[in-house]
Amino acid sequence: MTRRPLHLSGALFAVLALPPVARQLESSMAGHMAVQVPLLVLCGILAFGAVPESVRRRLAAWDRHGLVGLGLALSAMAYWMLPRWLDAALADPVVELAKFVTVPLLWGMPLAWAWSRLGLVGRGFVAAHLVALAWVLGWFYANAPARMCANYLLEEQQTLGSALLALGTAGALAGLLRVVVGAPRPAADGQPLRLDGTHVLGNH
Amino acid sequence: MRAATALAAVLVAGSATLWQATDGLRAFTTEAARRLAVEAAPRRLPAATLEDQDGRSLRIADYAGGIVLVDFIYTRCPTVCTQMTDTLREVAAALPSRLGDGIHLLSISFDPDNDTTHALRDYAALQGADPTWRFARVVDRGDMPDLLEAFGVVVLPDGFGGYVHNAAIHVLDAEGRLAAIHDFTDVEGLVARLERTS
């Protein structure tokens, strides 16, 4: 176990939770949905790097292939992509607190866990799903004639749409690059890397 | 077996949470959610004092016993406010005998700085409004946030001196509660609702 990911996660979380930073990011729909929320997910991914091996082994007994973690992460993702709950996070401090707690814990950490357990096909499915989702949502937000969030202007919604289309395209190009050039540098022991950069746990 | 149980539990819990979070897949936006919420539980409104286009004082409670159709406007609005006004005019035309006698129209400006009683009077004349239709503004600007919040109306500056806001026709019941919210073009739905209350 290493403490470094936890420190990084904690530092990032602390910055994101600073009221001026939160207000600034939430002042635009793109800042809220395409920057703040993904960074909170990253907090969870980084924090997962500090989970001890003994805990991971116990988790593996319940979720050998990472499907439980994936189900949890996708459920949390679906929840926080609902426009009404993004609105509610702006209007209600309790919902805002829930966002800061559940996005790292129920989306980021389970996603990191699932990624560490999934095989090649599973990872490909998740990556393709996320790219497709970013494109579909991006197209929708860029072209929807009506506002989805009560707290953001139509122009901000269109900007978010463009940002999601760009993110999806970047993800697709990164995936394509991996296919063409090959997998990224493996660890010294030949194990592939997790989302948080630490080694994948062997099967037990 | 344990893995299958855990997976089933997560899928059931995730689905139930999303079902709850969307009111049974019926409300994905704040606007849809507020409409369902007031239909399920009519909402009491704050006792703000308003003044109409003729400078007469009024409160929502003054309409007790009648049905009130309320929209939120600002008179410089070039788009959706005019459409809401058109809708109210069409509803009134469909039920002429009840206008001012059981059914009332009230347009509230959320821009009291610019919408003086004079501006409201000009707007009412421009729209060809029935004399019983009152166009009003809050007397105390401090009442505006509570009033908007109670109705669930969100007003944002559009960056060009105007505003963007969620547009709808609000129906107040005989007890002065917010009881229903209709699309701002839903003439048929509003007329049907009012006919049911006769």
Side-chain angles (χ1 to χ4, degrees):
Chain A
M1 183 183 88
T2 171
R3 290 278 172 202
R4 191 159 168 252
L6 196 59
H7 293 158
L8 275 174
S9 172
L12 179 57
F13 186 86
V15 170
L16 291 172
L18 283 172
V21 175
R23 268 199 301 274
Q24 180 61 35
L25 289 176
E26 291 167 357
S27 67
S28 72
M29 200 171 174
H32 196 172
M33 206 170 162
V35 180
Q36 186 195 60
V37 169
L39 288 178
L40 286 172
V41 173
L42 183 61
C43 285
I45 291 171
L46 290 171
F48 185 75
V51 172
E53 294 297 326
S54 58
V55 174
R56 295 176 190 225
R57 274 193 287 274
R58 279 199 292 275
L59 279 175
W62 285 87
D63 188 22
R64 186 180 183 84
H65 302 293
L67 295 179
V68 177
L70 185 60
L72 192 56
L74 292 181
S75 296
M77 181 178 79
Y79 186 96
W80 287 112
M81 292 177 81
L82 292 169
R84 66 181 280 189
W85 292 106
L86 282 184
D87 269 334
L90 297 175
D92 186 343
V94 175
V95 180
E96 175 78 339
L97 179 66
K99 183 183 72 181
F100 270 82
V101 171
T102 60
V103 171
L105 283 182
L106 300 182
W107 181 350
M109 291 185 81
L111 182 63
W113 162 254
W115 193 263
S116 74
R117 303 300 301 180
L118 286 170
L120 193 61
V121 172
R123 290 183 179 190
F125 169 80
V126 171
H129 173 79
L130 292 177
V131 165
L133 191 65
W135 274 341
V136 169
L137 277 179
W139 179 86
F140 175 74
Y141 281 131
N143 294 285
R147 294 182 304 137
M148 295 296 114
C149 283
N151 289 286
Y152 295 115
L153 300 173
L154 190 61
E155 292 77 13
E156 291 170 356
Q157 183 171 293
Q158 291 163 344
T159 302
L160 170 66
S162 301
L164 288 176
L165 285 170
L167 276 176
T169 303
L173 288 174
L176 192 64
L177 206 62
R178 286 188 66 164
V179 171
V180 173
V181 178
R185 175 186 58 84
D189 59 2
Q191 294 273 13
L193 301 176
R194 291 195 185 92
L195 272 177
D196 58 20
T198 57
H199 296 181
V200 171
L201 175 72
N203 288 333
H204 293 271
Chain B
M1 185 62 193
R2 276 193 299 184
T5 305
L7 183 58
V10 163
L11 291 179
V12 168
S15 302
T17 303
L18 290 172
W19 182 265
Q20 183 75 20
T22 56
D23 290 303
L25 303 180
R26 291 179 299 162
F28 295 86
T29 64
T30 304
E31 182 62 18
R34 79 168 178 131
R35 296 181 184 199
L36 287 176
V38 299
E39 291 270 3
R43 194 179 291 175
R44 297 260 170 223
L45 299 167
T49 301
L50 309 173
E51 62 178 341
D52 71 6
Q53 68 269 37
D54 297 319
R56 294 173 297 176
S57 176
L58 72 142
R59 286 169 177 259
I60 286 172
D62 297 343
Y63 292 107
I67 306 296
V68 193
L69 303 186
V70 180
D71 66 348
F72 283 84
I73 61 162
Y74 69 108
T75 61
R76 294 174 297 126
C77 178
T79 53
V80 73
C81 300
T82 309
Q83 289 176 281
M84 287 194 291
T85 304
D86 288 344
T87 295
L88 289 180
R89 190 191 301 105
E90 288 179 46
V91 171
L95 301 162
S97 63
R98 295 180 63 197
L99 190 62
D101 181 21
I103 295 176
H104 309 275
L105 305 182
L106 175 62
S107 295
I108 302 175
S109 167
F110 50 73
D111 182 22
D113 288 337
N114 290 298
D115 288 342
T116 60
T117 51
H118 183 77
L120 291 171
R121 193 160 56 243
D122 287 348
Y123 185 78
L126 187 68
Q127 300 298 329
D130 182 277
T132 62
W133 185 346
R134 299 174 87 172
F135 294 77
R137 63 200 285 273
V138 290
V139 173
D140 179 355
R141 284 168 176 69
D143 287 340
M144 201 71 239
D146 284 348
L147 194 62
L148 291 176
E149 187 180 348
F151 275 91
V153 174
V154 179
V155 179
L156 304 172
D158 67 2
F160 302 99
Y163 298 98
V164 171
H165 55 106
N166 44 341
I169 307 296
H170 308 79
V171 182
L172 311 192
D173 65 13
E175 296 177 47
R177 301 174 304 176
L178 176 58
I181 302 172
H182 284 248
D183 280 335
F184 65 91
T185 56
D186 185 19
V187 176
E188 286 182 10
L190 283 162
V191 170
R193 178 180 290 275
L194 294 172
E195 285 176 338
R196 284 199 301 273
T197 63
S198 60

